[in-house]
Amino acid sequence: MRGVAIASSTKLGADAGATVAEEGGNAVDAAIAAALVSSVAEPGICALGSGGFVTVWEPEGEPITIDGYVEMPGRGLPPDAFGGGKQEISIEYGGGVDLMVGHGTVATPGSLAACSVACEQYGRLPWREVVEPAYQHAKNGFALTFASYKYLVYAHDLIFGWNEQSFRALHREDGTLKQPGELIRIDHLADSLRMIADHGAGQFYRGEMARLISEDCLAGGGILTRQDLAAYEPIVRPALVAELDDWLVATNPPPAVGGAVLIAMLQLMRGHPRAEWTAEETAYLVRVQEAVLDYRHRHLDLSEDLETDIGRMLDEAVEQELLPLVTSPSTVHTSAVDADGLACSVTQSAGYGSGVMPPGTGIWMNNCLGELELNRRGYHGWPVGTRLVSNMAPTAARRRDGAVLSIGSPGADRITTAILQTLVNHLHLGMSLSHAIDHPRLHVELVEGSTRVAYEPGMPVDELDVESRRFQEISMYFGGVGAALCEPARGFQVAADPRRGGGTAIGGWPHE
């Protein structure tokens, strides 16, 4: 058996991964190519000016996560430069979200740097070949996806309408939002990708592109300086690993919290559900989410010692001591595995989008400093150079018989609960990957000090004595899981979430 299996947030991304695999690329090359295409071809949902994480597990090595998440900028600026450059808005996405947009909400992006390191250390192909599919889509244009459109219906005016470059990229000449399937062509984006492909990701951080980005942010009242971009370095960390049934599961370690939250939930779900999602088992899932998300809210988001507080949470999860405590859309994910047993899981986020597109770049920037749920210290409240808290949890898993799984999801604070339920469905209940992903989900929301269960039709939440809100159909609010599995005896399984209109592909390795 040869080849690479890819699941991505977009069909264009999955196909790009397969193309790179056909050219001789491995799971890392394919995943990075797909992630770059998804960042380009899902406007509003993600962007190259994002942060992200790449989890890689080699067949004979230890799993690692490359931390390319966003960083608090402001190097070289006086104290009075902080606190401005923002607009406070509310959008109706997902039932209502309060956030901030504008130049001051832009954190130092790290996705491109992390992708570059992943390719350099673990890929087979030159960086230029991995970036090429994204460049081609930027040059030729691409059809607006339905997932992007569904978000932009809420965000195109308030987030992407105030900036001239952003507005022009997404709207017709009469000022109306483009519809699904209409061609999107973004001025200067292909030129930027050509430069990044030919001269490396460093052009984004230290070249002419860095000057354009920084000067625009500062002119708009932001705090992203050329020093911030030049100082940015991705960090390779040992992944956070836990045992689950016959599997070892590796995910995003601190200072991100998403991976630890996922592992704690998985530990508490040991042995559950026993056969199916009955009302009793659904109630238990609600309790598990309440316990872990409550711990996170009270102890992790404002922690001064994340590793210690996360360690305490995981210890209490293993000992089943957490349960007594119960009282951005704008993310893309790609999973890939290959026949050699290499797994790569990539999650990237630009927050809800800042609306900022520095002139001459064609690149949208994140609003991660304006995401209220991730900035409980306050606006511009982090020390300069600090990596922000993240929900992202790109995950790989390995079974004793040599099977390897790559899985992850977009979806802000629904990332961990989406991955949790998919893994439980697949590992505990024996569902196929596609069935495990398609199955209805629930998510416990923290609302003004109390909890509320959001759920899709098919989960028996209405039989429980809990405050709840029922969605009328499956919704991208509950994430967009993508997973790829390679089993020595059975070959590949690969599946993408219908909630996000994702895509899958399998590519071969014809060249040695």
Side-chain angles (χ1 to χ4, degrees):
M1 180 179 64
R2 307 299 301 274
V4 185
I6 309 105
S8 190
S9 296
T10 64
K11 179 58 175 169
L12 288 179
D15 289 344
T19 297
V20 165
E22 294 288 350
E23 293 170 354
N26 62 14
V28 172
D29 298 314
I32 298 303
L36 293 174
V37 167
S38 293
S39 293
V40 166
E42 283 209 293
I45 288 181
C46 200
L48 293 176
S50 60
F53 299 89
V54 182
T55 295
V56 179
W57 199 341
E58 294 182 295
E60 303 301 328
E62 297 297 320
I64 60 93
T65 296
I66 304 170
D67 179 347
Y69 197 47
V70 298
E71 198 170 80
M72 177 66 186
R75 288 173 173 84
L77 296 180
D80 61 4
F82 294 79
K86 69 180 188 297
Q87 305 172 44
E88 298 181 16
I89 66 168
S90 296
I91 60 174
E92 294 303 314
Y93 176 80
V97 180
D98 296 326
L99 63 144
M100 291 177 280
V101 299
H103 292 84
T105 68
V106 178
T108 310
S111 285
L112 278 169
C115 288
S116 176
V117 167
C119 285
E120 179 182 340
Q121 295 190 8
Y122 299 99
R124 286 184 172 186
L125 296 180
W127 171 250
R128 176 187 292 185
E129 295 183 31
V130 174
V131 180
E132 183 66 18
Y135 164 73
Q136 290 295 334
H137 286 301
K139 183 180 74 169
N140 299 325
F142 52 87
L144 182 65
T145 67
F146 188 62
S148 281
Y149 175 76
K150 285 198 294 185
Y151 175 59
L152 289 170
V153 164
Y154 300 102
H156 76 101
D157 184 22
L158 291 174
I159 297 180
F160 299 98
W162 63 269
N163 180 282
E164 181 182 350
Q165 289 78 23
S166 288
F167 184 87
R168 188 167 58 245
L170 298 173
H171 296 81
R172 301 164 173 156
E173 290 187 4
D174 64 1
T176 58
L177 177 66
K178 290 188 176 182
Q179 299 295 297
E182 287 194 60
L183 188 69
I184 301 289
R185 184 178 281 113
I186 302 169
D187 293 342
H188 305 294
L189 179 57
D191 295 335
S192 293
L193 280 164
R194 185 74 274 154
M195 186 175 294
I196 290 167
D198 292 345
H199 302 288
Q203 290 296 308
F204 182 89
Y205 295 93
R206 288 173 289 279
E208 172 67 6
M209 205 178 307
R211 182 187 68 80
L212 293 172
I213 291 169
S214 175
E215 287 185 356
D216 183 61
C217 283
L218 294 174
I223 57 173
L224 178 61
T225 68
R226 294 188 71 177
Q227 295 97 308
D228 295 316
L229 290 164
Y232 190 90
E233 294 288 346
I235 301 170
V236 180
R237 311 180 193 274
L240 184 63
V241 179
E243 189 170 356
L244 182 70
D245 298 339
D246 293 332
W247 292 81
L248 285 178
V249 179
T251 191
N252 197 5
V257 299
V261 166
L262 172 62
I263 293 295
M265 290 180 181
L266 285 170
Q267 296 287 7
L268 290 171
M269 290 299 297
R270 284 179 295 174
H272 296 273
R274 293 175 177 84
E276 59 181 334
W277 286 111
T278 62
E280 179 182 3
E281 294 286 12
T282 300
Y284 184 80
L285 173 64
V286 169
R287 291 183 63 211
V288 165
Q289 290 191 22
E290 286 179 331
V292 178
L293 295 175
D294 176 72
Y295 186 99
R296 176 203 165 143
H297 183 76
R298 292 188 297 111
H299 297 290
L300 302 187
D301 287 349
L302 296 174
S303 175
E304 298 294 336
D305 187 353
L306 259 178
E307 293 205 14
T308 297
D309 289 336
I310 283 175
R312 183 181 301 115
M313 178 182 70
L314 295 177
D315 288 343
E316 292 183 6
V318 169
E319 299 300 325
Q320 304 289 299
E321 294 175 353
L322 271 181
L323 291 181
L325 295 173
V326 172
T327 52
S328 146
S330 299
T331 318
V332 295
H333 179 80
T334 297
S335 296
V337 296
D338 64 36
D340 286 342
L342 175 66
C344 184
S345 185
V346 185
T347 311
Q348 301 166 281
S349 176
Y352 292 92
S354 64
V356 174
M357 180 185 286
T361 69
I363 294 175
W364 272 298
M365 307 302 289
N366 67 81
N367 83 316
C368 292
L369 299 180
E371 287 191 89
L372 302 184
E373 66 188 58
L374 300 181
N375 289 275
R376 290 180 59 207
R377 293 172 181 265
Y379 183 62
H380 290 178
W382 297 93
V384 171
T386 302
R387 297 286 162 101
L388 272 62
V389 171
S390 173
N391 293 306
M392 290 185 276
T395 299
R398 198 174 294 279
R399 199 167 59 199
R400 292 190 180 93
D401 66 357
V404 60
L405 172 70
S406 177
I407 188 171
S409 177
D413 61 347
R414 283 86 62 197
I415 287 173
T416 50
T417 57
I419 300 172
L420 166 74
Q421 289 166 86
T422 302
L423 287 175
V424 166
N425 288 338
H426 181 60
L427 302 184
H428 286 337
L429 297 181
M431 297 181 192
S432 67
L433 273 188
S434 59
H435 187 192
I437 289 172
D438 293 353
H439 194 277
R441 297 182 194 138
L442 65 81
H443 173 76
V444 172
E445 302 171 316
L446 301 178
V447 183
E448 297 179 352
S450 62
T451 60
R452 178 179 66 190
V453 181
Y455 69 103
E456 296 174 324
M459 292 296 280
V461 174
D462 53 355
E463 300 179 35
L464 311 180
D465 184 20
V466 296
E467 183 179 350
S468 64
R469 66 177 182 126
R470 183 182 188 271
F471 282 62
Q472 296 305 308
E473 57 187 14
I474 63 170
S475 168
M476 64 185 286
Y477 177 78
F478 293 92
V481 175
L485 170 68
C486 182
E487 297 178 288
R490 299 181 182 179
F492 292 120
Q493 283 189 57
V494 59
D497 208 318
R499 296 166 180 83
R500 281 289 294 267
T504 65
I506 298 176
W509 295 338
H511 309 298
E512 295 295 340

